[in-house]
Amino acid sequence: MANIQQVAQKAGVSVATVSRVLNKNTTVSPKTKLKVENAIRELNYEPSMLGRNLRNSESRLLLVLIPSISNPFYTEIINGIEDTAVSNNYNILLCDTDSNPQRENIYFNLIKNKLADGIISMDPAVNMQKLNELAATHSIIQCSEYDENGCIPYVTIDNELAAYRAVKHLIQSGHKKIALINSDEKFLYARQRRQGYEKALKEFHLPIFNEWMITSQQLGFEDGQQAMRKLLQLNEKPTAVFAVSDTLAIGALREINANQLKAPNDIAVVGFDNISFSNMTNPTLTTISQPMYKMGCVAANMLIDKIKGKDVSSVILDHELVIRESTLG
Amino acid sequence: MANIQQVAQKAGVSVATVSRVLNKNTTVSPKTKLKVENAIRELNYEPSMLGRNLRNSESRLLLVLIPSISNPFYTEIINGIEDTAVSNNYNILLCDTDSNPQRENIYFNLIKNKLADGIISMDPAVNMQKLNELAATHSIIQCSEYDENGCIPYVTIDNELAAYRAVKHLIQSGHKKIALINSDEKFLYARQRRQGYEKALKEFHLPIFNEWMITSQQLGFEDGQQAMRKLLQLNEKPTAVFAVSDTLAIGALREINANQLKAPNDIAVVGFDNISFSNMTNPTLTTISQPMYKMGCVAANMLIDKIKGKDVSSVILDHELVIRESTLG
DNA sequence: TTGAAAGCGCTAACAT
DNA sequence: ATGTTAGCGCTTTCAA
């Protein structure tokens, strides 16, 4: 592999001139430029980012922390991040933390070691204290899940309002017994969505039963199945379920089917996220649509601004209730 | 951010000694070591990988090329790659090429620029010629999809045999009219799976109708729906369908449901990949299970061996037919 | 056991 | 318009 020296030698110029050509500096005469370009071609030269980055102390790499690539919710967000990053001459490093602190540390080190210029964290299980510490010296943005008390800018939706609307839709469809399949309330979004759920119930003077609020530790399909199984074992069964993620809702649907019951007639189901699967289930799933692609774009733009030293402030994006078969009698 | 110089100064030693401590070189006296470690702690020093990598001309980063993170098939493979990489002190850079040559180029440049030490390509749409050229000077492994005529080591399964078994299962369940929903045959796996399909039909003296072989350009759910729609419009409708990916099969199931038909009684369906969602559909999907996690581990180990300069040869892993409701009358 | 110094590939300030 | 040179942070050879 050729280096800049060899190119300079071959072109009969100095390394500085080669560097100028490389960086599209205008103060190079067309003739010299041509010579250099020929030398580059002949030697098959590719500049080393390592040298360049060391010199410029930047890597033009952005870290994206996600708890698991297997949750389709993140897919579209990442597309938004990636498109925005690439058009700003950054590349992204997808980091699947598996909500594992050890892996998390590896990725935190990457930024400490100057191998990345910034982080977009989407992991609800991230160590918030460490993240806040890191944010004091590095550029960090939170996407979707965030720390209420921290000072890291974030982009998200109004989770409480979205949950409120989802539950209100169930109530207005005639349901009075509405269950909640929630995540662990150590996560902010889980607390916010429960609040929206309770707000809707209270507004319509419906009872809030602890029995009808199931907490699921994970967001897999199986976890939704399990939660639904618990609900179906109750004496007083709900007639509708609001699940805080589509994956949980899809698992719940599956369990309803497996028990020879029908959604929405026996039990109506609403999910959250509008992942692409949610339109493939039988019945198709009513859900809250988050503007995932846009969220990714906004997050990436915020991070790039932050890296440039600009002031950035948090953003709340709109959401939408998508009504499909699982709630339409 | 402190650098190695400042640590050396604070500890009252030379930078060389600090480097020795950092790299666990044994020729440092315990006393000196302690001094250095204290200085590191006090200054909150983190070594810069940029400097280290420039010097060592390695990045300890592996590139993983996938056509789209939205295909769950890749999820488990990536987990395998990541676990193996991390335990060998490498990190992975997930590269979503979107089957877009321009993005592909960005990632190829990353390795040319020394920002990555090797590539695992899982993108069937990758520019094989470029990949082969790159393989002459860099470490590259192919996973799942590969180039028959190239010289890049790969890990995959026997696609023809797997498809043969899937179709044979349909035949033995009593089906005689079996359709194929395939990918574009510019992809090797599509050609191989069609061969398996035809081999099974021939073996049982069943007719091969072009009308029953649908080619889908993409692997999304909607594409499976569309393909199924075409099949349902035929005069002579098949009674069973083999789709070369679970996502296609799930779309097909959805279309069957939407037409008030039932799988498997009206039409049986077999998929390919055993993605986690395939067990959540109604009915659950019969499919070919690929050892995805293992495939990822093997690919990562092969790549790391290759980077170390060892000789590596291609690997064919086992697969399994998972029989579920969509073929069980 | 430790230090001095060269050099990895590049950019930019300064000089011409 | 172009060249010279210092230096980004680190590892490693050589010398002491």
Side-chain angles (χ1 to χ4, degrees), chain B residues 175-212:
Chain B
H175 293 281
K176 294 189 180 335
K177 301 173 177 179
I178 301 173
L180 171 70
I181 301 181
N182 202 359
S183 283
D184 194 311
E185 294 205 13
K186 71 184 169 201
F187 302 135
L188 178 62
Y189 76 92
R191 296 196 296 278
Q192 291 174 330
R193 291 179 194 177
R194 180 177 51 75
Q195 271 162 24
Y197 163 82
E198 291 189 1
K199 187 178 168 201
L201 293 184
K202 277 181 194 145
E203 185 175 318
F204 289 86
H205 309 293
L206 294 176
I208 296 174
F209 282 140
N210 278 331
E211 279 193 321
W212 290 347

Short mmCIF file of all heavy atoms in Angstrom, two decimals, chain B residues 175-212:
data_model
loop_
_atom_site.label_atom_id
_atom_site.label_comp_id
_atom_site.label_asym_id
_atom_site.label_seq_id
_atom_site.Cartn_x
_atom_site.Cartn_y
_atom_site.Cartn_z
N HIS B 175 -49.15 -32.99 -1.14
CA HIS B 175 -49.31 -31.95 -2.14
C HIS B 175 -48.70 -32.35 -3.49
O HIS B 175 -47.67 -33.00 -3.54
CB HIS B 175 -48.66 -30.64 -1.65
CG HIS B 175 -49.39 -30.06 -0.48
ND1 HIS B 175 -50.55 -29.36 -0.58
CD2 HIS B 175 -49.13 -30.13 0.85
CE1 HIS B 175 -50.97 -28.99 0.62
NE2 HIS B 175 -50.12 -29.46 1.52
N LYS B 176 -49.40 -31.94 -4.52
CA LYS B 176 -48.90 -32.23 -5.87
C LYS B 176 -48.70 -30.96 -6.69
O LYS B 176 -48.03 -30.95 -7.70
CB LYS B 176 -49.88 -33.15 -6.61
CG LYS B 176 -50.00 -34.56 -5.99
CD LYS B 176 -50.79 -35.45 -6.89
CE LYS B 176 -50.95 -36.88 -6.35
NZ LYS B 176 -49.91 -37.35 -5.41
N LYS B 177 -49.36 -29.90 -6.24
CA LYS B 177 -49.24 -28.62 -6.95
C LYS B 177 -48.51 -27.64 -6.05
O LYS B 177 -49.12 -27.01 -5.19
CB LYS B 177 -50.63 -28.08 -7.28
CG LYS B 177 -51.49 -29.00 -8.13
CD LYS B 177 -52.89 -28.41 -8.23
CE LYS B 177 -53.78 -29.27 -9.13
NZ LYS B 177 -55.14 -28.67 -9.18
N ILE B 178 -47.21 -27.53 -6.29
CA ILE B 178 -46.38 -26.77 -5.36
C ILE B 178 -45.73 -25.59 -6.07
O ILE B 178 -45.00 -25.76 -7.06
CB ILE B 178 -45.29 -27.67 -4.74
CG1 ILE B 178 -45.98 -28.84 -4.03
CG2 ILE B 178 -44.42 -26.88 -3.78
CD1 ILE B 178 -45.03 -29.89 -3.52
N ALA B 179 -45.99 -24.40 -5.54
CA ALA B 179 -45.43 -23.20 -6.14
C ALA B 179 -44.14 -22.80 -5.44
O ALA B 179 -43.85 -23.25 -4.32
CB ALA B 179 -46.44 -22.05 -6.07
N LEU B 180 -43.36 -21.95 -6.10
CA LEU B 180 -42.10 -21.44 -5.55
C LEU B 180 -42.14 -19.91 -5.57
O LEU B 180 -42.41 -19.32 -6.62
CB LEU B 180 -40.93 -21.93 -6.41
CG LEU B 180 -39.55 -21.33 -6.11
CD1 LEU B 180 -39.03 -21.84 -4.77
CD2 LEU B 180 -38.57 -21.68 -7.22
N ILE B 181 -41.91 -19.31 -4.43
CA ILE B 181 -41.71 -17.85 -4.42
C ILE B 181 -40.22 -17.63 -4.20
O ILE B 181 -39.69 -17.90 -3.13
CB ILE B 181 -42.53 -17.17 -3.31
CG1 ILE B 181 -44.03 -17.46 -3.51
CG2 ILE B 181 -42.29 -15.65 -3.34
CD1 ILE B 181 -44.93 -16.80 -2.48
N ASN B 182 -39.55 -17.18 -5.25
CA ASN B 182 -38.09 -17.12 -5.23
C ASN B 182 -37.60 -15.67 -5.31
O ASN B 182 -38.35 -14.76 -5.64
CB ASN B 182 -37.55 -17.92 -6.43
CG ASN B 182 -36.11 -18.35 -6.22
OD1 ASN B 182 -35.51 -18.04 -5.20
ND2 ASN B 182 -35.58 -19.08 -7.19
N SER B 183 -36.32 -15.50 -5.00
CA SER B 183 -35.65 -14.22 -5.24
C SER B 183 -35.19 -14.17 -6.68
O SER B 183 -35.27 -15.17 -7.40
CB SER B 183 -34.41 -14.09 -4.36
OG SER B 183 -34.74 -13.79 -3.06
N ASP B 184 -34.67 -13.07 -7.05
CA ASP B 184 -34.06 -12.93 -8.37
C ASP B 184 -32.92 -13.95 -8.51
O ASP B 184 -32.09 -14.08 -7.62
CB ASP B 184 -33.50 -11.51 -8.50
CG ASP B 184 -33.15 -11.19 -9.94
OD1 ASP B 184 -32.47 -12.01 -10.58
OD2 ASP B 184 -33.59 -10.13 -10.41
N GLU B 185 -32.90 -14.63 -9.64
CA GLU B 185 -31.90 -15.69 -9.78
C GLU B 185 -30.50 -15.16 -10.11
O GLU B 185 -29.59 -15.93 -10.38
CB GLU B 185 -32.37 -16.74 -10.79
CG GLU B 185 -33.60 -17.48 -10.29
CD GLU B 185 -33.76 -18.87 -10.88
OE1 GLU B 185 -32.81 -19.38 -11.49
OE2 GLU B 185 -34.85 -19.44 -10.69
N LYS B 186 -30.34 -13.88 -10.06
CA LYS B 186 -28.96 -13.38 -10.13
C LYS B 186 -28.22 -13.73 -8.84
O LYS B 186 -26.99 -13.70 -8.79
CB LYS B 186 -28.95 -11.87 -10.38
CG LYS B 186 -29.40 -11.02 -9.22
CD LYS B 186 -29.46 -9.54 -9.60
CE LYS B 186 -30.16 -8.75 -8.50
NZ LYS B 186 -30.68 -7.47 -8.96
N PHE B 187 -28.98 -14.05 -7.82
CA PHE B 187 -28.36 -14.47 -6.56
C PHE B 187 -28.16 -15.98 -6.55
O PHE B 187 -29.05 -16.73 -6.93
CB PHE B 187 -29.22 -14.08 -5.36
CG PHE B 187 -29.49 -12.60 -5.29
CD1 PHE B 187 -30.76 -12.12 -5.02
CD2 PHE B 187 -28.48 -11.68 -5.50
CE1 PHE B 187 -31.02 -10.76 -4.96
CE2 PHE B 187 -28.72 -10.31 -5.44
CZ PHE B 187 -29.99 -9.85 -5.18
N LEU B 188 -27.01 -16.38 -6.09
CA LEU B 188 -26.68 -17.80 -6.08
C LEU B 188 -27.68 -18.60 -5.25
O LEU B 188 -28.14 -19.65 -5.65
CB LEU B 188 -25.26 -17.98 -5.53
CG LEU B 188 -24.79 -19.43 -5.40
CD1 LEU B 188 -24.77 -20.10 -6.76
CD2 LEU B 188 -23.41 -19.50 -4.76
N TYR B 189 -28.03 -18.09 -4.08
CA TYR B 189 -28.91 -18.88 -3.21
C TYR B 189 -30.25 -19.10 -3.88
O TYR B 189 -30.89 -20.15 -3.70
CB TYR B 189 -29.09 -18.22 -1.84
CG TYR B 189 -30.01 -17.03 -1.79
CD1 TYR B 189 -31.37 -17.18 -1.49
CD2 TYR B 189 -29.53 -15.74 -2.01
CE1 TYR B 189 -32.22 -16.08 -1.43
CE2 TYR B 189 -30.38 -14.65 -1.95
CZ TYR B 189 -31.72 -14.82 -1.66
OH TYR B 189 -32.55 -13.74 -1.60
N ALA B 190 -30.69 -18.14 -4.70
CA ALA B 190 -31.97 -18.29 -5.40
C ALA B 190 -31.86 -19.41 -6.44
O ALA B 190 -32.76 -20.25 -6.56
CB ALA B 190 -32.35 -16.98 -6.07
N ARG B 191 -30.75 -19.46 -7.14
CA ARG B 191 -30.56 -20.52 -8.13
C ARG B 191 -30.49 -21.89 -7.43
O ARG B 191 -31.10 -22.85 -7.87
CB ARG B 191 -29.28 -20.27 -8.93
CG ARG B 191 -29.31 -19.00 -9.77
CD ARG B 191 -28.22 -18.98 -10.84
NE ARG B 191 -26.87 -18.96 -10.31
CZ ARG B 191 -26.24 -17.85 -9.90
NH1 ARG B 191 -26.86 -16.68 -9.95
NH2 ARG B 191 -25.00 -17.91 -9.46
N GLN B 192 -29.74 -21.90 -6.34
CA GLN B 192 -29.58 -23.18 -5.63
C GLN B 192 -30.91 -23.68 -5.07
O GLN B 192 -31.21 -24.87 -5.12
CB GLN B 192 -28.57 -23.01 -4.50
CG GLN B 192 -27.15 -22.78 -4.99
CD GLN B 192 -26.20 -22.45 -3.87
OE1 GLN B 192 -26.58 -21.87 -2.86
NE2 GLN B 192 -24.94 -22.84 -4.04
N ARG B 193 -31.70 -22.76 -4.53
CA ARG B 193 -32.95 -23.20 -3.92
C ARG B 193 -33.95 -23.63 -4.99
O ARG B 193 -34.73 -24.55 -4.78
CB ARG B 193 -33.50 -22.09 -3.01
CG ARG B 193 -32.60 -21.91 -1.78
CD ARG B 193 -33.05 -20.81 -0.83
NE ARG B 193 -31.94 -20.50 0.11
CZ ARG B 193 -31.98 -19.55 1.03
NH1 ARG B 193 -33.06 -18.81 1.19
NH2 ARG B 193 -30.92 -19.35 1.81
N ARG B 194 -33.92 -22.98 -6.14
CA ARG B 194 -34.80 -23.45 -7.21
C ARG B 194 -34.38 -24.85 -7.65
O ARG B 194 -35.22 -25.71 -7.92
CB ARG B 194 -34.78 -22.51 -8.42
CG ARG B 194 -35.72 -23.01 -9.53
CD ARG B 194 -35.80 -22.10 -10.72
NE ARG B 194 -34.49 -21.74 -11.24
CZ ARG B 194 -33.72 -22.54 -11.96
NH1 ARG B 194 -34.11 -23.76 -12.23
NH2 ARG B 194 -32.55 -22.13 -12.38
N GLN B 195 -33.10 -25.08 -7.71
CA GLN B 195 -32.63 -26.42 -8.10
C GLN B 195 -33.13 -27.48 -7.13
O GLN B 195 -33.57 -28.56 -7.54
CB GLN B 195 -31.11 -26.45 -8.18
CG GLN B 195 -30.60 -26.05 -9.55
CD GLN B 195 -29.14 -25.65 -9.54
OE1 GLN B 195 -28.40 -26.06 -8.65
NE2 GLN B 195 -28.73 -24.85 -10.50
N GLY B 196 -33.09 -27.17 -5.85
CA GLY B 196 -33.59 -28.11 -4.85
C GLY B 196 -35.08 -28.36 -5.04
O GLY B 196 -35.56 -29.50 -4.96
N TYR B 197 -35.79 -27.28 -5.32
CA TYR B 197 -37.25 -27.37 -5.57
C TYR B 197 -37.53 -28.28 -6.75
O TYR B 197 -38.32 -29.22 -6.68
CB TYR B 197 -37.74 -25.94 -5.81
CG TYR B 197 -39.09 -25.75 -6.47
CD1 TYR B 197 -40.27 -25.82 -5.71
CD2 TYR B 197 -39.18 -25.43 -7.82
CE1 TYR B 197 -41.50 -25.60 -6.32
CE2 TYR B 197 -40.40 -25.20 -8.43
CZ TYR B 197 -41.56 -25.29 -7.68
OH TYR B 197 -42.77 -25.06 -8.26
N GLU B 198 -36.80 -28.05 -7.83
CA GLU B 198 -37.04 -28.84 -9.05
C GLU B 198 -36.62 -30.29 -8.86
O GLU B 198 -37.28 -31.21 -9.34
CB GLU B 198 -36.29 -28.22 -10.24
CG GLU B 198 -36.88 -26.88 -10.65
CD GLU B 198 -36.31 -26.35 -11.96
OE1 GLU B 198 -35.45 -27.04 -12.55
OE2 GLU B 198 -36.71 -25.24 -12.37
N LYS B 199 -35.56 -30.46 -8.12
CA LYS B 199 -35.07 -31.83 -7.89
C LYS B 199 -36.14 -32.66 -7.18
O LYS B 199 -36.40 -33.81 -7.55
CB LYS B 199 -33.80 -31.77 -7.04
CG LYS B 199 -33.12 -33.12 -6.89
CD LYS B 199 -31.84 -33.02 -6.09
CE LYS B 199 -31.36 -34.42 -5.69
NZ LYS B 199 -30.45 -34.38 -4.55
N ALA B 200 -36.76 -32.07 -6.17
CA ALA B 200 -37.79 -32.80 -5.42
C ALA B 200 -38.99 -33.10 -6.32
O ALA B 200 -39.51 -34.22 -6.33
CB ALA B 200 -38.23 -31.98 -4.21
N LEU B 201 -39.40 -32.11 -7.09
CA LEU B 201 -40.55 -32.32 -7.98
C LEU B 201 -40.27 -33.45 -8.97
O LEU B 201 -41.08 -34.35 -9.18
CB LEU B 201 -40.90 -31.04 -8.72
CG LEU B 201 -41.42 -29.86 -7.89
CD1 LEU B 201 -41.82 -28.70 -8.78
CD2 LEU B 201 -42.60 -30.28 -7.02
N LYS B 202 -39.07 -33.38 -9.56
CA LYS B 202 -38.70 -34.40 -10.54
C LYS B 202 -38.68 -35.79 -9.92
O LYS B 202 -39.18 -36.75 -10.47
CB LYS B 202 -37.33 -34.09 -11.15
CG LYS B 202 -37.38 -33.07 -12.28
CD LYS B 202 -36.00 -32.83 -12.86
CE LYS B 202 -36.00 -31.58 -13.74
NZ LYS B 202 -34.73 -30.84 -13.64
N GLU B 203 -38.10 -35.87 -8.75
CA GLU B 203 -37.96 -37.17 -8.10
C GLU B 203 -39.32 -37.83 -7.91
O GLU B 203 -39.43 -39.06 -7.98
CB GLU B 203 -37.26 -36.97 -6.76
CG GLU B 203 -36.95 -38.26 -6.04
CD GLU B 203 -36.15 -38.03 -4.79
OE1 GLU B 203 -35.20 -37.21 -4.81
OE2 GLU B 203 -36.48 -38.65 -3.75
N PHE B 204 -40.35 -37.02 -7.67
CA PHE B 204 -41.68 -37.58 -7.46
C PHE B 204 -42.56 -37.45 -8.70
O PHE B 204 -43.79 -37.54 -8.62
CB PHE B 204 -42.34 -36.91 -6.24
CG PHE B 204 -41.70 -37.32 -4.95
CD1 PHE B 204 -40.58 -36.65 -4.46
CD2 PHE B 204 -42.21 -38.41 -4.23
CE1 PHE B 204 -39.99 -37.04 -3.27
CE2 PHE B 204 -41.62 -38.80 -3.04
CZ PHE B 204 -40.50 -38.12 -2.56
N HIS B 205 -41.92 -37.19 -9.82
CA HIS B 205 -42.62 -37.10 -11.11
C HIS B 205 -43.75 -36.10 -11.11
O HIS B 205 -44.82 -36.34 -11.65
CB HIS B 205 -43.14 -38.50 -11.52
CG HIS B 205 -42.07 -39.54 -11.44
ND1 HIS B 205 -40.99 -39.56 -12.29
CD2 HIS B 205 -41.89 -40.57 -10.58
CE1 HIS B 205 -40.19 -40.56 -11.97
NE2 HIS B 205 -40.72 -41.20 -10.93
N LEU B 206 -43.51 -34.97 -10.47
CA LEU B 206 -44.51 -33.91 -10.47
C LEU B 206 -44.13 -32.87 -11.52
O LEU B 206 -42.95 -32.69 -11.83
CB LEU B 206 -44.59 -33.26 -9.09
CG LEU B 206 -45.12 -34.18 -7.98
CD1 LEU B 206 -45.07 -33.49 -6.64
CD2 LEU B 206 -46.52 -34.67 -8.30
N PRO B 207 -45.13 -32.22 -12.10
CA PRO B 207 -44.85 -31.25 -13.16
C PRO B 207 -44.22 -29.97 -12.62
O PRO B 207 -44.47 -29.59 -11.48
CB PRO B 207 -46.24 -30.94 -13.73
CG PRO B 207 -47.17 -31.20 -12.58
CD PRO B 207 -46.58 -32.32 -11.80
N ILE B 208 -43.38 -29.36 -13.43
CA ILE B 208 -42.78 -28.07 -13.09
C ILE B 208 -43.40 -27.02 -13.99
O ILE B 208 -43.21 -27.04 -15.20
CB ILE B 208 -41.26 -28.10 -13.31
CG1 ILE B 208 -40.63 -29.11 -12.35
CG2 ILE B 208 -40.66 -26.71 -13.09
CD1 ILE B 208 -39.16 -29.34 -12.57
N PHE B 209 -44.21 -26.15 -13.42
CA PHE B 209 -44.87 -25.11 -14.20
C PHE B 209 -44.19 -23.77 -13.99
O PHE B 209 -43.99 -23.36 -12.84
CB PHE B 209 -46.34 -24.96 -13.78
CG PHE B 209 -47.23 -26.03 -14.35
CD1 PHE B 209 -48.23 -26.59 -13.57
CD2 PHE B 209 -47.07 -26.47 -15.66
CE1 PHE B 209 -49.06 -27.58 -14.08
CE2 PHE B 209 -47.90 -27.46 -16.18
CZ PHE B 209 -48.89 -28.02 -15.39
N ASN B 210 -43.88 -23.10 -15.06
CA ASN B 210 -43.31 -21.75 -14.93
C ASN B 210 -44.26 -20.81 -14.21
O ASN B 210 -43.84 -19.94 -13.47
CB ASN B 210 -42.96 -21.18 -16.31
CG ASN B 210 -41.61 -21.70 -16.78
OD1 ASN B 210 -40.76 -22.00 -15.94
ND2 ASN B 210 -41.45 -21.84 -18.08
N GLU B 211 -45.54 -21.02 -14.46
CA GLU B 211 -46.55 -20.18 -13.80
C GLU B 211 -46.45 -20.25 -12.28
O GLU B 211 -46.85 -19.32 -11.59
CB GLU B 211 -47.95 -20.68 -14.18
CG GLU B 211 -48.45 -20.20 -15.52
CD GLU B 211 -49.93 -20.49 -15.63
OE1 GLU B 211 -50.35 -21.58 -15.17
OE2 GLU B 211 -50.65 -19.63 -16.15
N TRP B 212 -45.98 -21.35 -11.78
CA TRP B 212 -45.91 -21.54 -10.32
C TRP B 212 -44.59 -21.06 -9.72
O TRP B 212 -44.33 -21.26 -8.55
CB TRP B 212 -46.15 -23.01 -9.96
CG TRP B 212 -47.58 -23.43 -10.19
CD1 TRP B 212 -48.65 -22.61 -10.41
CD2 TRP B 212 -48.08 -24.76 -10.20
NE1 TRP B 212 -49.79 -23.35 -10.56
CE2 TRP B 212 -49.48 -24.68 -10.44
CE3 TRP B 212 -47.51 -26.04 -10.03
CZ2 TRP B 212 -50.30 -25.81 -10.52
CZ3 TRP B 212 -48.32 -27.15 -10.11
CH2 TRP B 212 -49.71 -27.04 -10.36
#
